[in-house]
């Protein structure tokens, strides 16, 4: 099964993608997590991506597409995957489509996690992330067992550099300008399904599972 998660920054794409990946035994592929891991390790790619990410801008398509196509070509992706944060532009979606078509494959579902802008900023300021394993928490909704420490791997939790309120505003604008048109793109392909992302995360997940089953 090949699934795309769509939605504004902070809509809960990553939270839901992790649960989907676990339930269906497919990898969770997040371009944002790949970039953050590269930044943490000080790679050339990381340094380049950081210039854009810190301003809330998209990393250029050329860079992003290559990374994603390399990732989904790996052995663990052969039975499907859940994409989180990719595609984010129409050109990215077209490249993915073409690459899949060449393999005789296609996207099965694009799940749009719908959350209004007003809710987003509140969520982001409470989010804490583990840059080692990609786990995310929320200081009120999903606190870690020990404050500031990742439950999975014991590494310190941080507020992401791009979760400052000014940057979140930019990310929302970029989302509406460049990513939201994908809703129409996948509607036209008959694979778009929308869930209410303001509900409790367990209820959001139930809604997604009833679509996938
Ligand atoms: P990326 O890492 O993809 O960030 P994003 O899309 O802005 O999304 P987030 O990860 O911030 O939010 P999310 O929807 O995953 O929400 P989460 O589950 O954490 O990208 C970062 C940057 O990398 C981009 O800005 C860009 O520069 C670059 N980039 C990445 N991919 C790219 C691409 N394809 N092309 C170009 N550039 C790219 O949830 C948010 C918070 O809410 C958490 O604290 C969570 O615990 C909480 N929460 C989740 N669900 C609920 C709920 N139902 N109720 C209450 N709280 C909830
Ligand atoms: Mg995420
Ligand atoms: Zn961790």
């Amino acid at each position: 099964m090949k699934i795309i998660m769509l939605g504004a920054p902070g809509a809960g794409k990553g939270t839901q993608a992790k649960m989907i990946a676990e339930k269906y035994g497919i990898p969770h592929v997040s371009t944002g997590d790949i970039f953050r891991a590269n930044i943490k390790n000080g790679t050339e790619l990381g340094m380049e991506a950081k210039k854009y990410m810190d301003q809330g801008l998209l990393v250029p398509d050329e860079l992003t597409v290559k990374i994603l196509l390399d990732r989904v070509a790996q052995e663990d992706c052969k039975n499907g995957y859940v994409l989180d944060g990719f595609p984010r532009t129409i050109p990215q979606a077209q490249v993915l489509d073409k690459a899949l078509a060449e393999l005789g494959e296609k996207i099965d579902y694009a799940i749009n996690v719908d959350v209004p802008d007003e809710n987003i900023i509140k969520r982001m300021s409470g989010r804490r992330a583990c840059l080692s394993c990609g786990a995310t928490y929320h200081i009120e909704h999903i606190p870690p067992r020990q404050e500031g420490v990742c439950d999975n791997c014991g590494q310190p939790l941080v507020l992401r550099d791009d979760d400052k309120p000014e940057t979140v505003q930019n990310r929302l604008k970029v989302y509406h300008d460049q990513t939201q048109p994908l809703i129409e793109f996948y509607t036209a392909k008959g694979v778009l399904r929308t869930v209410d992302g303001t509900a409790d995360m367990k209820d959001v997940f139930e809604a997604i599972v009833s679509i996938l089953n």
Side-chain angles (χ1 to χ4, degrees):
M1 190 153 49
K2 298 186 186 64
I3 304 163
I4 289 173
M5 303 304 292
L6 292 177
K13 301 183 294 296
T15 302
Q16 297 299 328
K18 282 192 193 78
M19 295 196 271
I20 296 170
E22 197 167 311
K23 181 172 171 73
Y24 295 94
I26 52 178
H28 166 211
V29 176
S30 159
T31 40
D33 285 352
I34 294 173
F35 290 138
R36 281 185 289 278
N38 275 276
I39 292 172
K40 184 166 177 271
N41 295 329
T43 69
E44 206 174 306
L45 166 69
M47 296 302 100
E48 184 62 21
K50 187 172 171 30
K51 291 192 236 162
Y52 300 92
M53 289 171 72
D54 283 354
Q55 300 178 63
L57 300 174
L58 295 185
V59 177
D61 285 346
E62 308 79 71
L63 217 62
T64 310
V65 159
K66 183 173 180 319
I67 284 157
L68 190 278
L69 293 182
D70 284 352
R71 178 64 189 90
V72 298
Q74 286 171 26
E75 183 62 18
D76 64 330
C77 288
K78 71 174 188 314
N79 292 323
Y81 40 78
V82 49
L83 299 185
D84 159 20
F86 186 99
R88 246 186 169 84
T89 63
I90 296 277
Q92 288 182 12
Q94 289 167 333
V95 171
L96 177 63
D97 241 32
K98 186 161 168 280
L100 288 174
E102 279 165 10
L103 300 168
E105 295 172 0
K106 60 173 183 49
I107 292 299
D108 299 297
Y109 294 102
I111 307 284
N112 176 30
V113 184
D114 188 32
V115 177
D117 289 7
E118 306 86 80
N119 301 34
I120 298 284
I121 304 207
K122 249 186 274 164
R123 273 194 193 182
M124 304 300 240
S125 56
R127 173 165 59 185
R128 295 296 179 271
C130 172
L131 299 182
S132 288
C133 74
T136 38
Y137 302 86
H138 190 282
I139 50 177
E140 285 163 37
H141 310 294
I142 318 159
R145 285 194 296 272
Q146 188 190 337
E147 197 185 316
V149 179
C150 180
D151 290 353
N152 293 340
C153 70
Q155 293 295 306
L157 300 176
V158 299
L159 178 69
R160 269 167 48 179
D161 285 342
D162 60 348
D163 279 350
K164 290 172 289 188
E166 323 81 85
T167 315
V168 172
Q169 292 284 8
N170 273 344
R171 286 162 62 197
L172 276 171
K173 184 175 184 312
V174 166
Y175 168 75
H176 290 299
D177 291 347
Q178 304 195 53
T179 306
Q180 212 171 14
L182 291 174
I183 291 178
E184 217 166 289
F185 181 92
Y186 287 110
T187 300
K189 294 190 175 293
V191 297
L192 189 94
R193 302 287 185 277
T194 296
V195 295
D196 176 7
T198 65
D200 207 77
M201 47 181 275
K202 287 193 304 295
D203 297 330
V204 179
F205 186 56
E206 256 175 48
I208 294 174
V209 168
S210 67
I211 291 166
L212 301 180
N213 283 348

